[in-house]
Amino acid sequence: MASKDTLQDFVKAALAEGQSRENISAALTDAGWEKSDVKKALAAFHVTSFPVPVPSKRYSLAARDTVFYLFHFTALYLASFGIIFLGLNILELMLPLSTDYMSADVVEGRVRYWLAWTIVFTPVYLFVAWKAELRIRRDPLCLLSNARQWLTYLTLFVASMTALGDLVALLYGFLQGEMTIRFFLKVIVVGTVSGAVLAYYYYGIRRLEDNSDEVEL
């Protein structure tokens, strides 16, 4: 809290001295401040020609924002799990092995379950993701949401660990001589889903960090 107040006090003083927002942003970035923190500090003051910095009117929507993004990312996890387990069970049904301990009827039941799961959660996630993009288009400062940033980085961590675990499984299967077609396809399913999630949300982080023009100072 102290560092946040210090940053906002500096921005207020710099604006009062007539410094441009671009110069303030450049100075703070050179000093090591995160771009997102700088943008939030600048956004706290209204863009105006008034000689004294004018505080921006902002309503506290932290609770609603947190719940929205918590629902967003929970739907992502559930949809991803559904797609992965649906793919794995379809492969077990289509490419049975003599070592399988579950009967075809049991596997068919699992396929139906995960199909139902995927049908429910995938459209829910896509709808919420679409709403999130609309929020950003209406107000680019949504990119600076603490809830969004925390959950995005957490998702990147989970997706990265899943992708690395998938690679470990692939190498282990190769070293054990268990590289059946079904095993290889299972690795592809997990790697494709985790890789897609990783790529999409990594792009989101890069959009915030690199494309500073998308969030007006």
Side-chain angles (χ1 to χ4, degrees), residues 43-197:
F45 299 97
H46 182 59
V47 179
T48 178
S49 59
F50 197 72
V52 177
V54 179
S56 298
K57 175 63 175 178
R58 295 199 174 273
Y59 298 94
S60 179
L61 300 176
R64 189 181 75 174
D65 197 54
T66 300
V67 171
F68 175 80
Y69 284 113
L70 185 61
F71 185 83
H72 176 182
F73 284 91
T74 300
L76 166 67
Y77 296 144
L78 295 177
S80 299
F81 292 155
I83 293 171
I84 288 174
F85 285 109
L86 175 62
L88 297 182
N89 281 279
I90 287 176
L91 289 173
E92 290 185 359
L93 182 65
M94 300 300 294
L95 300 171
L97 298 177
S98 59
T99 56
D100 289 342
Y101 64 90
M102 289 188 296
S103 66
D105 291 339
V106 173
V107 177
E108 286 181 5
R110 293 164 67 98
V111 169
R112 286 192 294 269
Y113 175 80
W114 288 112
L115 178 60
W117 180 290
T118 303
I119 289 174
V120 171
F121 286 109
T122 301
V124 169
Y125 164 70
L126 293 175
F127 175 75
V128 177
W130 172 69
K131 294 289 289 184
E133 287 299 317
L134 287 182
R135 295 182 69 186
I136 293 172
R137 292 178 186 177
R138 289 195 298 264
D139 182 9
L141 287 175
C142 286
L143 284 169
L144 304 178
S145 163
N146 288 330
R148 178 187 176 91
Q149 291 188 61
W150 271 101
L151 289 170
T152 298
Y153 279 111
L154 177 61
T155 298
L156 289 176
F157 172 77
V158 173
S160 298
M161 292 301 102
T162 302
L164 290 174
D166 194 47
L167 180 59
V168 169
L170 177 63
L171 293 175
Y172 178 77
F174 174 77
L175 295 174
Q176 288 288 103
E178 299 176 354
M179 287 294 291
T180 63
I181 294 177
R182 190 176 82 175
F183 177 81
F184 183 70
L185 291 177
K186 283 185 174 183
V187 171
I188 289 178
V189 168
V190 177
T192 299
V193 176
S194 60
V197 171

